[in-house]
Amino acid sequence: MPIDSSLPYDAANIFARILRGELPCKTVLETEHSLAFHDINPLAPIHVLVIPRGAYVSWDDFSAKASDPEIADFVRAVGEVARMTRASAQGYRLLANTGKRGGQEVAHLHVHVFGGAPLGPMLAK
Ligand code: AMP
């Protein structure tokens, strides 16, 4: 069920539990303010999620409330993941589903990094 990006942060969400070490993940990159790990249900040969360590529901929430160091770290982490996974070598796609209409299912900001194959059109009509 998609979540409402204006809802208060719920510390029981799956990615908060991964950040606390309560659930495992396949780590790709750890930085001061961000964590990247493989998506559990990959939709492309490369499918990595990048999340901030801070408690932000969505891109909307993060862009309004995060500090400049958190934002810089997160943006750099996304780029670093694309380079580390070699997604950047042939082109890749970033996706941040945001809120109900955006199809966001986990209520902790995450950017999907897709690559490793031709990704087709941006959205199906
Ligand atoms: P979204 O629809 O943008 O909220 O995407 C949520 C993503 O989280 C989906 O691609 C799921 O496959 C992924 N996901 C859910 N649980 C886990 C988990 N425990 N570890 C890694 N990825 C997960």
Side-chain angles (χ1 to χ4, degrees):
M1 174 69 79
I3 62 100
D4 183 341
S5 70
S6 65
L7 287 175
Y9 186 80
D10 175 6
N13 77 73
I14 292 168
F15 297 164
R17 296 187 64 199
I18 287 175
L19 284 165
R20 289 195 296 268
E22 295 168 8
L23 292 175
C25 73
K26 288 189 183 173
T27 301
V28 173
L29 176 68
E30 291 186 88
T31 67
E32 183 179 2
H33 295 295
S34 310
L35 173 68
F37 51 89
H38 291 282
D39 195 289
I40 204 166
N41 180 29
L43 299 176
I46 298 166
H47 186 176
V48 176
L49 301 173
V50 188
I51 68 173
R53 293 185 187 277
Y56 301 101
V57 173
S58 65
W59 191 274
D60 196 48
D61 190 23
F62 184 69
S63 61
K65 297 179 190 157
S67 67
D68 287 356
E70 288 177 296
I71 291 171
D73 180 293
F74 186 67
V75 171
R76 289 186 189 285
V78 171
E80 181 64 17
V81 164
R83 288 186 291 275
M84 285 173 71
T85 58
R86 307 274 305 140
S88 62
Q90 292 191 303
Y92 61 100
R93 180 170 296 158
L94 305 178
L95 178 69
N97 294 323
T98 303
K100 274 185 192 163
R101 287 195 172 181
Q104 184 180 1
E105 292 185 347
V106 178
H108 183 114
L109 170 63
H110 48 285
V111 167
H112 298 256
V113 181
F114 296 108
L119 296 169
M122 185 166 63
L123 288 175
K125 278 194 179 174

